[in-house]
Each structure stands twice: as structure tokens, then as C-alpha cells.
Amino acid sequence: MEGSVSIFLVLGYAATSFASAAIHNLFLSYYVHLFMVKYGLSDAWFYFGEAIFMAWNSINDPLIAYLMDGNSDQKPQESKKLNSQSVEQCKPTSCPSVSPPSSISDGRHVKIRHIHAIRYGGFLWVFSLLFLFSSYAMPSDGGSPRTKNDQDNSLPDEGFWSAEQLWCGLHFTFCLCLYDTFLSYVMLAHGALLADFTADSAVRAKCNMMASFGGVFGSLSVMFSHFYWDLSNLQPFRNYSLCVGLLALAGFQITAATFQPYIAPAVHIAPPTKGSTKVESKGQLFVFIKQLLSMRNFWSFVGVNIIQVFNCHFNSNFLTIFLDEILPSSSPSSLTSSSSDIGNESSIWSLLTSPTSIKMTVMSLGSVLPHFGVILCVYFLRRYGLFLLIRWLVSFKVILSLACAVITWILLGAAEGTESISYGMVLFIAIYLLVARVSNEIICRHGNLVLADIVDEDNHLHNRIESKSSMIYGVNAFFTKPGQSLAPMAGWLLLSSTDIVNSTNDVTLDEVGSNNDRISFSRAKSILLAVTLVPLACGVLQHLLWRMYTLHGQYLSIVKNTAGEAWKEV
């Protein structure tokens, strides 16, 4: 039956999504705050560490993928021979001492290397998170948090080479690289797991949906972490991180234990001849990369994906800046100043509509709604396919950005000549930011399904006896990971060239409370330029690139049928 799979397998796959969301959200939320404010890391060391991290972030994925899949390369011309000879030697009839493993819905199996990566790599990933928050590593751990004046008064040259800054900077750089190494190790295996154990699009969609449920529950770790985060006393937060890490470790072990019975049978290959060398293995790697880079659909998706990664990280990195600009938190009752004479009943409404409440609502919904969006998209995915779903989502992003730009420009034109804009316009921009963030994240969360289809196409085109799923995920990451670093750099350049950043450089908190309760007309235009033109340009480019993608319809059916038959023969 199409789309049938054990619920335990689906939940087992989602367990790693829960674990990764739980620890990764803690990392993203606090590592900058910890090192820059608590430990007093200098700006020079921060940029140095991020530069090293950007380089390592790009090369570690294909390197880890090669360690997972590189040793199993088979020459394309030898695959048929291996099917008829080597695999025959491993059948239960000829090897009665070896019991055949269980198979999943379409007769496929998973690789033991991926199971080990999730089981042991998950433990190391949790360890890297706890090491980053550890107390012994920093000499200044017991000190008070660094203030802004302390940062401004420090000398860059002395700060960079001082013993404390040197230790803190090296610790920061090492922790970033260590954390990303085990993150890539686990998530590459987790993504490849989806491509390996089934070619059924319905099963993959169901796993992706349950992974979103796991992500929702995993994201709750950040919500409760605010109760324990205190820069003057980090021990409660460290204890909380330890509890989250143990829960995440349990999730990794559940995934490994669930897929353990479905490990692929060992394929006995004749020992290498006398003339075989390691050079041959490297040559096979280059052959594989050449074959992969010759695939049109791979390049089409890489182009769409790197733009999407850039767009998602642009939204994530600058959403708080945009919200702080359009909703100054210094005037909690500014949204309801016109109704302040109603009486005590307005106090609850004033609290709910205060800038702080609105910002917290947008940030919380922006983290949770993408997971529910993926769940809601399952129906469209099953009915219309992945190609049309992504094309509609990209088209929605273009139409949404264009509509927001036109509407707000019309309203801003009507308000031209005034010193500030109404809070109705401000709320409209805030709602747009939320919807744009959710729609972008939904596109990102379907990337693994596209890569899984590309793995099937690679098996179909090159007649592989064993899929190179980890390698394909790793090469894709090599091209797309730089978007994570390009987004903040390009975004900061854009903001620096407008009134968004420059207008508040010399403004004190008292001046903000008295003169800046409402966003100025010029800054509103600058924010509109940033939040609409960037996704609009990204969406147009993605739409053009996605038109080149041909892995859908009848061709996709042929690829999946071929992949399913190949696994059944094994």
C-alpha cells in the first residue's frame, strides 16, 4: 500500500528532529550573548572566530560526507557485475548463518554508518553544547557582565592580545567549529536516512511532517530557558542545559534503536587486485563528483537553496532589529494612547498591544508556525507533488513582497510630509515580517525531500549498487552553507547604507523615550526597502532557477520505480 510505513519508524525519525531542535535553538539563542556580554569577547576576536567558522562550515560537510560514503565507491561499470556475483554470495540461501535484516516499505535498508553517526555523533553534539557553556573554560566566569561602556572604553589592540582575550577568543573559535562539526555529522546522517530507507514520496512526506512535530516540541527548550538565563549566575542555566542535553541524547538513541533492525546487509566484495591502489579510490571520488555536477536538477536545486538559505538567515538575523525599530519598547502604551481615557479596562488591552508583547508574539510565532506550516503542506504535497508545492511557495513569496511594497508605498505616499507614521502601518509591517519569515522557513524545511529525490535520480542515472546520499547532502552543503555567513554581512551593508542603523547611532535611551516613540517617515521607507526588495529579488531568481528542475511528473515516477526495483534486487 502506497505510503504505508510503521508508525514507530516515523516517530523514530522524528526523535532526532526533536533532539536537534532542542539543543540547536539553545545554541543560537545564547552563544553570542554569552561570549560578547558575559565573557567580554572583543569585536576583533568575534569577527575572527566567525570568519574561521564560515570557512570550516563550508568544507566540513563534504569532508564528513566523504568519510561516510567515500570508502564505498564502486565503479559504475562494475555495478552490474557486483549485482550478479557479490550480492549473490550474500543471499540467505548461500549464507545460512546470516539472517536477512528486515526491510522497510519498498524493500530498502539503511546504512550502519548513518546509524552510528546518529548514536555516537549525537552524544558528541550534546557534549559540544555543554562544553560551550561550561564554567571551567573561562577565567572571567565569576565576574559581572560587561557593560556597553566597558566595551567602548577597551583598547582593540590590547584587548586582542591580552591573555584573557586570547583564551576567550580561542575558546570561542574552537567551540564554534567543534559544535558545527558534530551538528554536520549528525544532520548529514539524518538527512541521508530519509533518502536511504524509502523512495516513496508519501512516506517521506509523512516523516517530514512528524519531524516538524518533533521540531515544535524541541523548540520549547528556548521558551523555558528564559526562566534560568541569568548572566550574574549561569549555574541554573547550565543545569537546565544539561537536562535538555540528556533529553536530546535520548532522542538520538531512539532514532538509532528504531532503525537498527533495518541496517543493510554486508556486501562481500572480492579483495583488490595487486595493482589496486588508493589512487583508484580517489579517482572514483572525482568520477562521482563529476557525475553529480553534471546533473541539471542538482544545480537547479543548489541555486534555489543557496538563495533560500541567504533569505532565511537574513530574516533570522535582522528580524529583531526591524522589530526594535518599528516598535520602540520605551513606550509600552504608545499603541493605545488614543484610548487611554477609557478607564481601567484599557490596561489589559494596553499590555497585550504593547511593543514588548507584540515583539515577543512575532518572535515566538516565527519559531513555531513554520513547523505547523510544514504539517499543513502535507496535503498539497501528496496531491500535487513537491515541484508544484515549492513553485507555489516561491510564487507566494514574490506576490507577498510585491503586494506589501505596493500597499505600504501607497500608504506612505499618503502620509508624506508627516514626521511619523501611524501604528496601523507599523503593525502591518510587523505582520508582513511574520508571514514572510514563516513562508521562507517552510520552503527551507522541504529541502531534504528535494535532495532525497536527487539521490534517487543519481542512483537511476549511474546504476549505483549503494546510494551516495551523504555525499550528495555534503556537496549541496558545500555550496549553500556560505549563504549563512553572506546574509549577515550583506544585510549589515544594506542597513548601514540606509537610515535604519545610522539614525540611532547617537541617540540615548532618554531621547528614544521622548522623541522616538513612533518610527520616522524616512526610517519607515528604509525598512520597507530592506524587508520587501530582498525577498522579492530572491523569489524572482528562485522562480527562474526552479523552472529548470525536471525531476517531477512522469520522469520522477520512472526514477522512483527504477530505484525501488534496484533495492528489491539487492
Side-chain angles (χ1 to χ4, degrees):
M1 182 177 177
E2 184 181 4
S4 62
V5 66
S6 171
I7 186 62
F8 296 105
L9 279 175
V10 178
L11 292 177
Y13 181 81
T16 291
S17 298
F18 161 79
S20 61
I23 59 179
H24 192 53
N25 280 291
L26 281 181
F27 171 80
L28 291 178
S29 299
Y30 295 109
Y31 86 93
V32 175
H33 200 186
L34 177 70
F35 279 91
M36 297 300 290
V37 179
K38 174 63 176 177
Y39 295 154
L41 182 68
S42 65
D43 292 344
W45 267 111
F46 177 76
Y47 292 130
F48 175 80
E50 288 289 347
I52 298 297
F53 170 68
M54 179 178 66
W56 176 245
N57 193 25
S58 298
I59 65 175
N60 70 346
D61 289 271
L63 178 61
I64 293 173
Y66 173 72
L67 295 177
M68 285 186 180
D69 285 349
N71 295 331
S72 60
D73 279 322
Q74 298 297 329
K75 289 183 179 180
Q77 62 268 25
E78 293 179 352
S79 59
K80 291 184 179 180
K81 182 180 178 181
L82 184 61
N83 271 317
S84 59
Q85 297 179 4
S86 300
V87 177
E88 182 70 26
Q89 298 174 6
C90 300
K91 289 184 178 180
T93 55
S94 58
C95 300
S97 60
V98 180
S99 58
S102 303
S103 62
I104 310 178
S105 57
D106 49 2
R108 300 176 71 160
H109 305 87
V110 297
K111 299 176 183 178
I112 190 172
R113 295 185 297 272
H114 297 157
I115 300 299
H116 287 170
I118 294 175
R119 172 177 287 127
Y120 304 116
F123 173 81
L124 296 173
W125 189 7
V126 171
F127 169 79
S128 66
L129 177 74
L130 299 179
F131 179 75
L132 184 141
F133 293 131
S134 61
S135 59
Y136 77 93
M138 298 307 305
S140 61
D141 184 72
S144 60
R146 180 181 65 165
T147 63
K148 186 70 172 69
N149 291 333
D150 297 333
Q151 179 182 357
D152 294 337
N153 294 333
S154 61
L155 297 177
D157 294 337
E158 294 180 2
F160 188 87
W161 294 110
S162 66
E164 186 173 343
Q165 282 294 318
L166 184 63
W167 178 263
C168 185
L170 292 176
H171 179 64
F172 173 75
T173 305
F174 176 75
C175 284
L176 284 184
C177 295
L178 183 71
Y179 179 88
D180 187 70
T181 298
F182 297 126
L183 180 151
S184 299
Y185 185 46
V186 174
M187 296 313 294
L188 276 177
H190 187 241
L193 201 64
L194 183 65
D196 285 342
F197 82 84
T198 182
D200 194 326
S201 297
V203 174
R204 289 176 176 174
K206 185 183 297 184
C207 290
N208 201 45
M209 179 186 68
M210 292 305 298
S212 296
F213 274 116
V216 170
F217 290 106
S219 300
L220 296 178
S221 64
V222 175
M223 180 183 300
F224 294 107
S225 66
H226 295 299
F227 295 103
Y228 302 95
W229 177 253
D230 183 7
L231 287 176
S232 60
N233 182 19
L234 289 175
Q235 192 56 44
F237 178 77
R238 291 183 178 119
N239 296 335
Y240 174 77
S241 300
L242 177 61
C243 295
V244 172
L246 292 176
L247 288 176
L249 185 60
F252 293 131
Q253 301 307 312
I254 289 174
T255 300
T258 303
F259 284 90
Q260 183 73 30
Y262 304 96
I263 293 177
V267 177
H268 299 283
I269 304 175
T273 60
K274 199 171 183 179
S276 299
T277 62
K278 293 184 178 180
V279 178
E280 183 180 1
S281 177
K282 293 181 180 179
Q284 293 172 5
L285 174 63
F286 289 121
V287 169
F288 163 76
I289 294 178
K290 182 179 179 180
Q291 292 172 341
L292 180 63
L293 298 184
S294 66
M295 294 171 57
R296 172 181 176 179
N297 290 322
F298 176 78
W299 279 115
S300 175
F301 173 70
V302 165
V304 172
N305 198 23
I306 189 173
I307 297 174
Q308 190 60 37
V309 169
F310 174 89
N311 199 356
C312 286
H313 281 77
F314 177 84
N315 289 341
S316 300
N317 293 330
F318 298 103
L319 179 62
T320 54
I321 295 179
F322 295 145
L323 291 176
D324 287 339
E325 289 296 326
I326 67 176
L327 293 168
S329 58
S330 58
S331 181
S333 60
S334 57
L335 289 179
T336 58
S337 58
S338 61
S339 59
S340 58
D341 57 344
I342 296 179
N344 294 332
E345 295 181 357
S346 64
S347 59
I348 299 179
W349 175 253
S350 176
L351 178 63
L352 294 176
T353 58
S354 66
T356 301
S357 298
I358 294 175
K359 283 187 283 188
M360 290 180 62
T361 301
V362 172
M363 294 297 295
S364 300
L365 292 179
S367 300
V368 175
L369 287 183
H371 297 287
F372 289 105
V374 173
I375 297 170
L376 295 176
C377 286
V378 170
Y379 169 78
F380 297 95
L381 184 60
R382 291 176 176 173
R383 183 175 179 86
Y384 301 104
L386 185 60
F387 173 78
L388 287 179
L389 176 63
I390 293 181
R391 188 170 73 176
W392 291 341
L393 289 172
V394 171
S395 301
F396 174 77
K397 177 167 65 174
V398 173
I399 295 172
L400 178 67
S401 303
L402 186 60
C404 179
V406 172
I407 293 174
T408 50
W409 274 110
I410 292 176
L411 296 178
L412 286 175
E416 190 170 4
T418 61
E419 295 183 356
S420 62
I421 63 174
S422 66
Y423 270 101
M425 174 63 65
V426 169
L427 291 178
F428 177 78
I429 298 177
I431 294 174
Y432 163 76
L433 289 173
L434 174 62
V435 176
R437 174 180 170 83
V438 171
S439 60
N440 273 303
E441 290 292 333
I442 292 176
I443 299 176
C444 284
R445 297 177 194 282
H446 284 91
N448 281 345
L449 297 180
V450 181
L451 280 175
D453 288 343
I454 292 176
V455 171
D456 291 337
E457 185 188 27
D458 176 68
N459 295 336
H460 168 72
L461 293 177
H462 305 113
N463 195 23
R464 302 195 190 280
I465 188 62
E466 185 175 328
S467 68
K468 305 299 176 188
S469 50
S470 297
M471 287 292 295
I472 293 176
Y473 277 77
V475 175
N476 167 74
F478 174 78
F479 290 108
T480 58
K481 282 293 185 70
Q484 297 180 5
S485 301
L486 292 176
M489 291 188 290
W492 187 255
L493 179 64
L494 175 63
L495 299 186
S496 300
S497 62
T498 63
D499 293 332
I500 299 177
V501 175
N502 296 332
S503 61
T504 59
N505 283 342
D506 300 322
V507 179
T508 64
L509 184 60
D510 294 335
E511 291 172 340
V512 170
S514 58
N515 301 326
N516 202 36
D517 286 345
R518 293 193 177 190
I519 183 175
S520 65
F521 187 79
S522 61
R523 280 196 295 153
K525 284 187 175 181
S526 300
I527 292 177
L528 176 65
L529 176 70
V531 302
T532 57
L533 293 188
V534 170
L536 180 62
C538 291
V540 171
L541 290 176
Q542 287 177 306
H543 187 76
L544 295 176
L545 290 170
W546 194 240
R547 290 171 61 92
M548 301 168 52
Y549 190 80
T550 61
L551 192 53
H552 57 89
Q554 184 178 3
Y555 177 54
L556 180 62
S557 300
I558 294 174
V559 167
K560 289 189 176 294
N561 290 335
T562 304
E565 290 299 325
W567 279 87
K568 288 177 182 178
E569 290 178 5
V570 177

